Amino acid sequence: MTRHASSALIRIEELRLMQRVVAQVAAVEAAAHETYTLAALDRAISQRDGTLEQWHQQLSGSVFSPEISTGFAAAFQRSDERVVLAGDTATAATAERQACDQAWRQSDAHCRQAGSLLAESRRYEARARDEKAMETAADRISLSWRRR
């Protein structure tokens, strides 16, 4: 390969390295967001379970109040809706993290491939230089033998 091809491969490798770093940062951010949404889901489930427990205690208590029971039922319904929303958000965050992980793996493979192509190009150029140097040396030796 020519010097031009090698310098193009160097630029491609640098671009692939930058793409890999960007993909890795996106994967880390997606993982952090997933962790946050899963924690929010756990909090929503705990809150819903607490509301349900309070409602059951009120229903099984010695003093039954329909107004309070209706309030607990409404609170339970709202907290259950929050659990569903938090679950949907956590599912979306998990899917996003998986997509970012896949993009990072693909970017990493492309980066390794660019590095391999650059190394192969450098070996080819070094071999071509060595062969040219050997041809030059052989020409000099032949010329000196002819002069004798």
Side-chain angles (χ1 to χ4, degrees), residues 36-48:
Y36 175 78
T37 58
L38 289 174
L41 175 62
D42 286 343
R43 287 190 302 274
I45 289 172
S46 295
Q47 189 177 36
R48 180 196 61 192

Side-chain angles (χ1 to χ4, degrees), residues 6 24 38 55 58 63 83 89 96 102 121 131 139 141:
S6 181
Q24 189 174 17
L38 289 174
W55 188 24
Q58 197 279 329
V63 180
V83 167
T89 303
E96 177 67 20
Q102 178 62 29
S121 171
E131 288 175 0
D139 289 344
I141 292 171

Side-chain angles (χ1 to χ4, degrees), residues 17-84:
L17 284 168
M18 285 188 289
Q19 288 173 338
R20 182 176 65 177
V21 168
V22 168
Q24 189 174 17
V25 167
V28 168
E29 288 175 351
H33 180 67
E34 179 189 25
T35 301
Y36 175 78
T37 58
L38 289 174
L41 175 62
D42 286 343
R43 287 190 302 274
I45 289 172
S46 295
Q47 189 177 36
R48 180 196 61 192
D49 292 347
T51 303
L52 182 62
E53 180 63 30
Q54 289 175 342
W55 188 24
H56 283 149
Q57 286 177 357
Q58 197 279 329
L59 288 174
S60 64
S62 60
V63 180
F64 176 76
S65 170
E67 296 84 18
I68 294 176
S69 181
T70 303
F72 276 126
F76 174 74
Q77 182 178 0
R78 285 190 304 274
S79 62
D80 193 48
E81 290 170 358
R82 283 192 294 269
V83 167
V84 170

